[in-house]
Structure formats: structure tokens, C-alpha cells
Amino acid sequence: MHSVALLTASYAKDIERFSLLSESIDTWLTGYTRHYVLVNDEDVPLFARFASDKRVIVPASRYLPKWLFALPPALQFISKRRVWLSLLSSPVHGWHIQQILKIAGVLNAPEQRVCILDSDNLFFREFDVGQYAGAEKTPLFVTPKDIGADHPLHGLWLRTVDQLLGIKGRSFPADDYVGNALVWDKDTARAMTAAIKSATGLDWVLALCRKKKFSEYLMYGHFVANSPAHLATHRVTEASIAVSHWDDTPLDRPAIEAMMRAASPEQVALCIQSYSSTSVDDIRDVFRLSSRDRRAPSLAPDHIDDAAAFVVPKTR
């Protein structure tokens, strides 16, 4: 078995959702060594209360190059999004920085495998992530042939990924590797960044800053798919361990409960995208994560009838 870490890139506006994620990890997860939480430097004091023997709060500057630095919030008069200034590229927004931090976090983790968890994920039943992520082959989640050439987001991201990795002759529809609670192998991530440098002639961070419109998950998945050696070290699966709501429609409590009914026995995590503006309090109430005992929530799939899958198309 390989050592397994958890990794989350978060920031102040997501702190309540991260609080729910961390609580669910502490309640339900085993089999990992550390949970690395990468946040903007000024957010470190806000996240300090989550630090523990198994959870480490890491300032973003530890993994970002010196030529890339955050514009102080007080100076951001125009953009509503957080901005990083670069001496070598045009400005970079916070979403791109989070993707870069995820890659850097995997490269710098002492562990061989890393399960990447965004702040809007949570776990709702017991799960040994070490058994899942640390086995001989790394699980690689894929939705086959799900990206059409005209897809407004994923199609654009994939074309950028192809440029970054030097992949030629792209055909559509293409496989989609975007998902939740995804597992990366450190050696594979290192080879991926080396491929970016080989294809672009640039350090991988600079190459990403100059391209911008990419997806870290598509990049890892398509790097593996186009490398027979690395594909052989992965176990490709179409079964996600998370049931997900990718739409921007807010969910009420009955809708959250419906997601629970849709979860298969193998699904241990839930993702309700933060841009849906679903109430964190409603999510917490449904899953009863604030209770002191470790009983499964009353709406867990073991206690309810089957229902149709409550999963909408990905827009991330």
C-alpha cells in the first residue's frame, strides 16, 4: 500500500464549506497520513483553528514562485476576483492559482498518493481512503466521450491542455476527467509537469499562467491516457465515489435529501458546488455532522429506497 494524503486548496470565502468538509473528514475518514490545506497567506490566521496533528495549513507563497504575488485585497478596486500579479505573464486570478497550488501540493507532498478535495466536498459515511487511493494502481475517474468539440468550457480547456502537453490530433467527443475526490500519483504528476516543460519550453507554472484557460483534472487525466507507461499504473473507473450537483441552482433540504437517496453504496462523498449558493446550514442539518456520535445519518442510502441518480452535467 502507498501512503495517502488529502489536499484542499481553499480561501476565506469558502471557510464555512471547508469547515463542513474538515468536520466530515474527522468524523468518517481513515487511512490517510495528513490533510494539507493550501490557502492565501492572509487567510492562514482564519484557517488556523482547523490545524491539528493530521491537518496542516500551508500558505500559498510556500509553493508559488517569487515572480508571482498576490495583489493586496485593499488594492483590488475593479476586479471582484482575487488577482495575482506576475512579472512574466498577464495577471492571474484566484481560480487559476488554486489549480496551480493543487499541482504544487501533490509534487511537494511526502506521500505517494494524494486525494484532492475541494472545499465544497464532504463525506457522509465511513471510508478508508488509504485502501481506495493507496492500492497498487491509482484510481482514475473518467466519463468517456463526454466532451464535444463545441462544449463551451471543457472543449476549450481540453484544447489548451493539448497545447500544454504537446498532444496532437485531438478527436471529439473526448473523455472527461473532471470529478470530485480525485486521486493523483506524485510520480505521475511530476512526469506531467516535465511534459509541459518539454512541450512549451517553459517552467510548468509559467506555462499555466500564460495559458490560463485549462483544467488541472483534464490535464492529469489526458496526460495519463496518452502515456502507456503511466496508464499501466492507473485503474480507470467510471464510478465516482461522490454524488455531485454541478448546476448553479440552489438546493433546498428536500433536494439535498434526494441526493442522498441517489447515492449508491459505493458513494461516500457529496459535492454541492459552492456557486449553487446552497445553504451550508441545510447541508449540515441533513447530514447531522454536528452530532457528537458517529451514527450514520438517518437519510443514508442503507435506510432508504433507491432513487434515480441526482447528478447533473458538469460545468466546472
Side-chain angles (χ1 to χ4, degrees), residues 141 143 146-147 151-154 157 176 178-180 243-249 259 271 273 275 309-316:
F141 171 71
T143 306
D146 198 49
I147 303 177
H151 194 291
L153 289 177
H154 292 220
W157 294 342
D176 195 349
V178 175
N180 292 295
V243 57
S244 305
H245 175 72
W246 294 94
D247 205 341
D248 58 3
T249 305
M259 291 190 70
C271 176
Q273 292 292 328
Y275 53 70
F310 192 88
V311 182
V312 298
K314 298 186 287 290
T315 58
R316 184 194 176 284

Side-chain angles (χ1 to χ4, degrees), residues 238-314:
E238 297 178 30
S240 174
I241 64 170
V243 57
S244 305
H245 175 72
W246 294 94
D247 205 341
D248 58 3
T249 305
L251 300 183
D252 56 17
R253 289 187 58 167
I256 300 171
E257 292 167 2
M259 291 190 70
M260 285 293 290
R261 296 187 183 95
S264 70
E266 292 75 28
Q267 289 178 310
V268 299
L270 168 79
C271 176
I272 299 176
Q273 292 292 328
S274 58
Y275 53 70
S276 74
S277 301
T278 299
S279 166
V280 177
D281 290 337
D282 283 349
I283 299 172
R284 185 184 297 275
D285 288 344
V286 169
F287 293 102
R288 298 183 181 177
L289 292 175
S290 59
S291 63
R292 293 186 178 182
D293 60 34
R294 291 170 59 85
R295 292 177 300 172
S298 60
L299 293 172
D302 289 343
H303 302 289
I304 58 178
D305 296 331
D306 293 335
F310 192 88
V311 182
V312 298
K314 298 186 287 290

